[in-house]
Amino acid sequence: QVQLVESGGGLVQAGGSLRLSCAAPGRTFSGYGMGWFRQAPWKEREFVAGISWRGDSTSTADSVKGRLTSSRDNTKNTVYLQMNSLKPEDTAVYYCARGFYSFISWSSFDYEHWGQGTQVTVSS
């Protein structure tokens, strides 16, 4: 079982920023696209942002476009989610996931391994 380790969640006021990190073993990180998803209470898990293996392609959900950005450092086997101008509706558990492929997918079915999730709470 591949373990993805997330960190960086917490409580922040509206308008604030957080950066989530997700670290993975090198052999399971190299060559794969990575995605970020979130799940709020009573809602389905949704795609937030993703990045291709080489980092030359990124994708962001319309609801967070311009505020959340995914990046990766392949030398550290780590992917990041920079979250700016946070809103109360961004409150959710955030998950990183490793895809089956090198490119980005918006579908959770295209992701093989998942982190444990990290809570992000944005107060108004």
Side-chain angles (χ1 to χ4, degrees), residues 33-38 46-72 79-82 95 97 102-107 111:
M34 298 293 292
W36 289 95
F37 291 76
R38 69 184 181 185
E46 64 174 351
F47 174 84
V48 175
I51 187 166
S52 62
W53 151 234
R54 298 190 184 280
D56 54 353
S57 178
T58 60
S59 183
T60 309
D62 289 343
S63 60
V64 302
K65 196 174 294 288
R67 301 188 298 114
L68 274 61
T69 305
S70 183
S71 62
R72 66 192 294 164
V79 63
Y80 304 97
L81 183 66
Q82 180 65 44
Y95 299 89
S102 63
F103 53 85
I104 305 164
S105 172
W106 283 45
S107 172
Y111 290 84

Side-chain angles (χ1 to χ4, degrees), residues 20-122:
L20 306 183
S21 300
C22 174
R27 58 181 174 82
T28 63
F29 188 81
S30 177
Y32 296 98
M34 298 293 292
W36 289 95
F37 291 76
R38 69 184 181 185
Q39 187 167 18
W42 312 111
K43 293 187 177 180
E44 293 187 355
R45 189 172 298 189
E46 64 174 351
F47 174 84
V48 175
I51 187 166
S52 62
W53 151 234
R54 298 190 184 280
D56 54 353
S57 178
T58 60
S59 183
T60 309
D62 289 343
S63 60
V64 302
K65 196 174 294 288
R67 301 188 298 114
L68 274 61
T69 305
S70 183
S71 62
R72 66 192 294 164
D73 185 342
N74 289 342
T75 66
K76 297 181 179 180
N77 299 327
T78 302
V79 63
Y80 304 97
L81 183 66
Q82 180 65 44
M83 310 169 69
N84 299 326
S85 302
L86 284 164
K87 304 176 181 180
E89 51 263 43
D90 294 318
T91 295
V93 177
Y94 285 73
Y95 299 89
C96 70
R98 197 214 76 178
F100 283 105
Y101 315 111
S102 63
F103 53 85
I104 305 164
S105 172
W106 283 45
S107 172
S108 62
F109 294 106
D110 289 331
Y111 290 84
E112 182 177 11
H113 300 293
W114 294 79
Q116 79 284 0
T118 186
Q119 177 70 46
V120 172
T121 302
V122 185

